[in-house]
Amino acid sequence: MSDMAKLELDGKTIELPIITGTENEKAIDIRALRAQTGYVTLDNGFMNTGSCESKITFLNGEKGILRYRGYPIEQIAEQSNFVEVAYLLNFGKLPNQKELDFFNEKIASFATLPEGITKIIDQFPTNSHPMGVVSAVTSSLSAFYPEFLKTPLTDVDRERAIAQLLAQVKIIAAYFYRRTVGKNPHRSHPSLGYASDFLNMMFYEEGYEVDPEVAKALDVLLMLHADHEQNCSTSAVRLIGSSQANIFATISGGIDALWGQLHGGANQRVLEMLEAIQEDGRGYKKFIEKAKDKNDSFRLMGFGHRVYKNFDPRAKIIKKACDTILERLNIQDPLLDIARGLEEEARKDSYFVDRNLYPNVDFYSGIIYKALGIPTNMFTVMFVLGRLPGWMAQWKEMREDPTLKISRPRQIYTGENLREFTNIADR
Ligand code: SDX
């Protein structure tokens, strides 16, 4: 098979290289297109455009495959833990015990927020959406760690910055949550382990003990959210990072992109949708019809995916985990039955079947977060905590690329042609 694509254009034949990935994905390399033809390509929403080559995560949307550095997500969820996954994504291999201990120590060295940061968090009204707080405060870290603003960052500083954000974003989230419930912050105890430390900071009170099963369920959710190749927020991180903005500004931009309801914000909207169905009391039909109605902006939140045209492998794992954790906590959540029924109903409906709309990672995750006691408006913050290592791994991979260029897409102009400016008296 030829490794060149031929393009007939204005009576000329242009040849463009074909690139083949390690999983046999194919791309036409159009880097020389404009110089050779004056043409650019146009692809609204980048549905057919590869933005980079990456060694971090592989997805196959048709087959519902997800792998982190080659390891299947099913094995990762079963056998690994979140900090180990963060190491794998960022450094390309599973750590041995010594490497993992050293990484954990580095994370633990950032277990206290700078005082100025806690003062900034204290300024936010307690009814602020936590995503806005976490994004703003993450960016504010740049004022307290000037060493991470140097460009280029040394490898040591880059690794320290990764450990610091892994340590501190979860503290920022828990600190603000405690303020919203009128409780004093509870300090981080990294020796508890990532998920247990977070739960402890969130819910600590006299006599509180983190349930290891609950911590394990959270750790699995964090692993499942850790990376997902060039999704919207990761693409935002790569775009911002390509200008050599500092890591705090870059990650803050990723948090903001994730907040959208079509992306990470969907997990909060799913729970609100399930509660609305419960409230309505007339079953799913009305909501299914609304989702199908082109004149209605309502969508079945947690359904559909740009890449997966099959079951999202993460949704399968989370759906199964729902049973385990609800049983463990002895919780009967009617919303789980509603979610299951909605999925069953939708999967029988040709509108959803014809469009390959399956539950995605956000459809069932909120049921578990709710069971763990996480408030609905913090569900997307949980997605941030999970995605953090993936964003940083993608940022690191991009910044380590010696051929890195600032991202600057082109456009096709469809506005007014040349016209003379007129004074206001003549308009
Ligand atoms: C995440 O990219 C990633 O990897 C993201 C993510 C990650 O880990 O980073 O996986 C996390 O963001 C998951 C997605 C969470 N969002 C939602 O659950 C919101 C609901 N889903 C949709 O809005 C939608 O499915 C998207 C945004 C997820 C994908 O949108 P696309 O690829 O742009 O698809 P589309 O909007 O062009 O839809 C194709 C058709 C349209 O109908 P037609 O014009 O062909 O008639 O399917 C319909 C859409 O109207 N459709 C839906 C639907 N999703 C798509 N109709 C009703 N309900 C839905 N949920």
Side-chain angles (χ1 to χ4, degrees):
M1 183 190 282
S2 159
D3 55 3
M4 297 297 279
K6 283 194 173 56
L7 187 60
E8 299 292 328
L9 208 47
D10 304 337
K12 282 193 295 183
T13 301
I14 316 289
E15 289 208 339
L16 294 166
I18 289 174
I19 293 188
T20 304
T22 45
E23 287 293 333
N24 221 12
E25 296 168 305
K26 305 274 181 202
I28 299 170
D29 182 343
I30 57 167
R31 278 174 283 196
L33 180 68
R34 190 162 186 277
Q36 286 189 33
T37 68
Y39 282 62
V40 295
T41 57
L42 190 62
D43 184 18
N44 183 24
F46 305 120
M47 298 185 83
N48 308 284
T49 296
S51 61
C52 62
E53 293 176 66
S54 176
K55 300 179 184 337
I56 299 171
T57 293
F58 172 67
L59 295 191
N60 178 312
E62 284 64 38
K63 297 186 183 142
I65 293 173
L66 170 59
R67 295 186 202 138
Y68 293 160
R69 298 282 187 178
Y71 297 102
I73 192 65
E74 295 77 10
Q75 292 180 24
I76 291 268
E78 191 68 34
Q79 302 176 51
S80 188
N81 64 71
F82 180 60
V83 173
E84 186 174 71
V85 165
Y87 187 100
L88 171 66
L89 291 170
N90 277 277
F91 305 110
K93 70 181 189 80
L94 287 171
N96 59 34
Q97 193 58 57
K98 191 160 161 276
E99 289 161 333
L100 186 59
D101 293 347
F102 183 64
F103 191 48
N104 270 309
E105 275 157 36
K106 222 182 293 181
I107 294 171
S109 69
F110 291 102
T112 312
L113 291 177
E115 202 199 331
I117 284 287
T118 53
K119 288 203 171 80
I120 291 170
I121 303 173
D122 290 343
Q123 306 317 309
F124 283 91
T126 49
N127 64 350
S128 312
H129 195 292
M131 281 295 280
V133 176
V134 171
S135 164
V137 178
T138 297
S139 190
S140 308
L141 288 169
S142 58
F144 299 85
Y145 295 93
E147 67 271 27
F148 294 154
L149 273 58
K150 283 197 304 283
T151 315
L153 274 181
T154 61
D155 288 356
V156 170
D157 275 344
R158 195 175 291 140
E159 288 175 24
R160 284 184 67 238
I162 288 167
Q164 184 222 343
L165 280 164
L166 279 172
Q168 295 197 341
V169 175
K170 74 175 182 315
I171 303 173
I172 292 165
Y175 183 104
F176 179 67
Y177 167 72
R178 300 266 306 187
R179 277 201 66 236
T180 62
V181 292
K183 290 188 179 161
N184 288 329
H186 191 69
R187 65 178 295 276
S188 168
H189 291 281
S191 57
L192 294 174
Y194 195 95
S196 297
D197 183 25
F198 176 72
L199 291 167
N200 197 47
M201 285 191 287
M202 287 281 286
F203 304 120
Y204 179 81
E205 55 190 10
E206 208 46 48
Y208 172 77
E209 286 277 318
V210 176
D211 177 337
E213 287 298 311
V214 167
K216 175 72 190 144
L218 177 56
D219 198 70
V220 171
L221 281 171
L222 292 171
M223 285 193 276
L224 292 172
H225 286 81
D227 193 52
H228 214 238
E229 59 127 278
Q230 305 312 316
N231 59 84
C232 176
S233 53
T234 298
S235 298
V237 161
R238 278 186 174 258
L239 194 105
I240 298 168
S242 76
S243 76
Q244 300 197 5
N246 66 74
I247 190 167
F248 304 114
T250 300
I251 297 300
S252 174
I255 295 170
D256 292 332
L258 189 74
W259 196 354
Q261 69 167 8
L262 296 186
H263 193 12
N267 59 14
Q268 172 175 343
R269 299 299 306 275
V270 169
L271 207 88
E272 290 161 357
M273 173 182 73
L274 296 174
E275 285 170 340
I277 293 173
Q278 185 183 37
E279 178 101 358
D280 177 81
R282 286 174 290 171
Y284 338 103
K285 261 252 158 290
K286 172 184 145 189
F287 292 84
I288 295 264
E289 292 316 310
K290 272 172 67 70
K292 292 158 59 177
D293 179 358
K294 287 298 156 217
N295 301 319
D296 190 327
S297 62
F298 175 80
R299 285 200 156 182
L300 211 51
M301 299 316 273
F303 252 74
H305 199 275
R306 171 60 56 77
V307 176
Y308 289 124
K309 300 307 169 196
N310 194 327
F311 230 99
D312 181 333
R314 302 165 297 178
K316 267 189 193 162
I317 297 169
I318 296 174
K319 182 179 176 183
K320 230 164 63 195
C322 276
D323 286 329
T324 324
I325 200 65
L326 292 185
E327 201 183 312
R328 162 83 193 175
L329 297 174
N330 199 12
I331 295 174
Q332 298 293 331
D333 188 346
L335 297 184
L336 180 56
D337 302 331
I338 293 174
R340 284 221 179 88
L342 192 58
E343 176 194 343
E344 218 174 286
E345 198 69 30
R347 293 299 307 139
K348 284 186 299 198
D349 186 304
S350 60
Y351 173 91
F352 294 89
V353 175
D354 296 351
R355 292 168 177 79
N356 293 310
L357 302 178
Y358 289 83
N360 59 49
V361 68
D362 292 316
F363 191 63
Y364 286 103
S365 54
I367 305 269
I368 297 187
Y369 290 139
K370 179 169 170 265
L372 301 186
I374 310 276
T376 308
N377 73 353
M378 275 195 72
F379 286 3
T380 312
V381 170
M382 302 312 293
F383 200 144
V384 169
L385 300 187
R387 187 50 53 89
L388 210 43
W391 285 330
M392 295 193 286
Q394 300 271 350
W395 166 81
K396 180 171 178 287
E397 182 178 67
M398 175 205 49
R399 291 296 291 268
E400 288 170 346
D401 173 0
T403 66
L404 171 69
K405 298 185 83 60
I406 186 168
S407 294
R408 204 272 183 221
R410 302 304 301 266
Q411 63 163 27
I412 293 297
Y413 175 71
T414 55
E416 296 287 345
N417 295 111
L418 177 66
R419 52 182 174 166
E420 291 303 308
F421 188 82
T422 51
N423 287 328
I424 191 157
D426 307 328
R427 290 175 206 159

